[in-house]
């Protein structure tokens, strides 16, 4: 293929494709191979219970270091994986690996550490998603202790097909798993649907938490979500907490849990275990 210079970067150009389409194509091709080559890893970010001031679980976040393209952010490759359907095999691997890790930590004596795994709309709406989850729970040993696993689905993914979402979440909960609504506040769900949604926890989107101490309306949104969740019997978790002042404000508002760089960044499992599971695992 002919080479073209674009700014400082040199790329191989397929005639008829613009730069963005070209980039998507390269990522798609690399994604296909990445699954076979085992280029993915999960990193774990601690979840802190505010009342107990104690780590109670972790969110599993996928990381990809491509042999050809180097490290890529989930914000770049997850949307492409969703568009191309590759999120289905990738998401299956994420679920398998998250379950295996939950069982490993359980076996190492950290009882009840709950791992939350992100599931995209494409996966959730696959007709065989529940069969796949059941098979993974059985193969990993999580079936014996389903409270070790939580499934996170974004509010906007749930709203794509609310009736199917309700049915699938109901089955997941029936299996003993926890269900969290991710990026809450950005997905336009109505209160009527929220009332019917079989979820355990709302994860307040990072954008509101980031602004809550400087922007009155962000503060009001956070306070309102927490109050509404409580009256609906849902727990709340604030994402993206970076400062002590946010922790105190969220505590005062009655938020149940927090996650963010203030407590810990997502890290590989061994680093996570050294920091969070050694000695201080009370
Ligand atoms: P998310 O599920 O809402 O995950 C939270 C994101 O916020 C993560 O970004 C995390 O690293 C970042 N974060 C956590 N604490 C802080 C903080 O204090 N400050 C800031 N600025 N950021 C913080 P990450 O890992 O880049 O993931 C981005 C998104 O990609 C995730 O948002 C999720 O939607 C998606 N994603 C990641 N892993 C998976 C996966 O395995 N499957 C699916 N379907 N999506 C995934
Ligand atoms: Mg998440
Ligand atoms: Mg989120
Ligand atoms: Mg997000």
């Amino acid at each position: 293929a002919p080479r073209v210079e674009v700014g400082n970067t040199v790329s191989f150009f397929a005639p008829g494709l613009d730069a963005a389409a070209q980039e998507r194509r390269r990522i798609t091709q690399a994604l296909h191979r990445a699954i076979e080559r085992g280029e993915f890893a999960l990193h774990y970010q601690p979840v802190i219970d505010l009342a107990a001031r104690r780590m109670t679980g972790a969110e599993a976040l996928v990381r990809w270091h491509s042999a050809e393209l180097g490290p890529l952010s989930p914000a770049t490759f997850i949307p492409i994986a969703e568009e191309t359907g590759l999120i289905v095999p990738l998401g299956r691997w994420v679920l398998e690996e998250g379950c295996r890790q939950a069982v490993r930590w359980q076996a190492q004596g950290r009882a009840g550490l709950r791992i939350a795994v992100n599931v995209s709309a494409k996966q959730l709406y696959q007709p065989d998603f529940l069969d796949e989850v059941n098979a993974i729970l059985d193969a990993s040993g999580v079936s014996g202790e389903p409270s070790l696993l939580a499934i996170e689905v974004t509010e906007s993914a749930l709203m794509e097909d609310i009736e199917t979402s309700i049915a699938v979440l109901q089955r997941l909960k029936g299996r003993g798993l926890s269900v969290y609504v991710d990026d809450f506040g950005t997905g336009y769900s109505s209160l009527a649907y929220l009332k019917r949604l079989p979820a355990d926890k709302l994860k307040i989107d990072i954008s509101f938490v980031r602004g809550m101490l400087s922007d009155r309306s962000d503060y009001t949104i956070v306070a309102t979500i927490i109050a509404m969740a409580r009256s609906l019997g849902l727990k709340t978790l604030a994402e993206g907490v970076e400062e002590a002042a946010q922790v105190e404000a969220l505590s005062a508002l009655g938020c149940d849990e927090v996650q963010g760089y203030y407590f810990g960044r997502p890290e590989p499992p061994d680093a996570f275990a050294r920091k969070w599971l050694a000695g201080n695992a009370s």
Side-chain angles (χ1 to χ4, degrees):
R3 299 172 96 203
V4 289
E5 297 265 342
V6 184
N8 299 327
T9 67
V10 176
S11 55
F12 290 91
F13 182 73
L17 289 181
D18 65 25
Q22 180 70 18
E23 179 71 357
R24 271 201 304 279
R25 208 183 68 154
R26 288 166 45 133
I27 292 175
T28 303
Q29 287 168 347
L31 268 175
H32 273 284
R33 296 187 289 264
I35 291 167
E36 298 152 23
R37 290 179 181 173
E39 291 179 348
F40 295 107
L42 294 185
H43 284 195
Y44 295 87
Q45 184 177 36
V47 170
I48 311 296
D49 180 290
L50 271 182
R53 299 276 164 148
R54 168 175 172 273
M55 190 276 296
T56 55
E59 179 175 6
L61 293 154
V62 71
R63 296 293 178 257
W64 180 25
H65 193 121
S66 161
E68 294 100 351
L69 307 173
L72 286 145
S73 148
T76 305
F77 70 82
I78 292 286
I80 296 172
E82 286 172 342
E83 281 165 34
T84 56
L86 288 166
I87 193 68
V88 173
L90 170 55
R92 184 184 309 128
W93 178 83
V94 167
L95 261 170
E96 287 168 349
E97 182 54 27
C99 285
R100 283 193 291 260
Q101 188 59 258
V103 168
R104 264 180 233 130
W105 278 332
Q106 176 83 354
Q108 290 164 17
R110 185 39 158 107
L113 182 73
R114 180 177 292 147
I115 303 299
V117 169
N118 293 284
V119 166
S120 83
K122 257 268 177 37
Q123 272 178 285
L124 188 79
Y125 297 136
Q126 290 283 307
D128 61 352
F129 177 66
L130 289 161
D131 294 336
E132 186 179 294
V133 169
N134 280 323
I136 292 169
L137 293 179
D138 288 340
S140 61
V142 169
S143 345
E145 196 161 351
S147 64
L148 292 179
L149 183 66
I151 301 284
E152 295 194 4
V153 189
T154 64
E155 182 189 20
S156 39
L158 293 169
M159 291 305 126
E160 283 179 29
D161 179 351
I162 184 74
E163 296 305 329
T164 304
S165 295
I166 290 171
V168 174
L169 299 195
Q170 200 74 66
R171 301 277 297 278
L172 294 172
K173 284 189 60 68
R175 203 67 181 67
L177 308 183
S178 298
V179 173
Y180 305 162
V181 183
D182 206 353
D183 300 353
F184 187 79
T186 63
Y188 312 104
S189 53
S190 77
L191 292 175
Y193 286 138
L194 194 57
K195 189 184 82 176
R196 294 175 54 213
L197 206 60
D200 299 283
K201 193 178 292 178
L202 303 181
K203 296 190 71 167
I204 304 168
D205 191 66
I206 191 167
S207 58
F208 308 117
V209 176
R210 185 184 293 133
M212 71 178 286
L213 297 181
S214 52
D215 180 319
R216 259 196 99 75
S217 29
D218 283 340
Y219 181 87
T220 303
I221 289 167
V222 171
T224 305
I225 292 173
I226 293 169
M228 176 194 67
R230 177 176 296 152
S231 65
L232 291 173
L234 298 166
K235 299 247 178 226
T236 47
L237 180 151
E239 300 189 293
V241 170
E242 295 186 356
E243 301 164 31
Q246 292 168 326
V247 178
E248 295 324 312
L250 289 160
S251 240
L253 289 170
C255 186
D256 297 296
E257 293 174 326
V258 286
Q259 211 181 313
Y261 296 168
Y262 180 72
F263 293 99
R265 290 182 180 251
E267 290 185 292
D270 51 344
F272 179 91
R274 269 197 303 280
K275 191 176 290 172
W276 294 100
L277 307 180
N280 61 347
S282 62

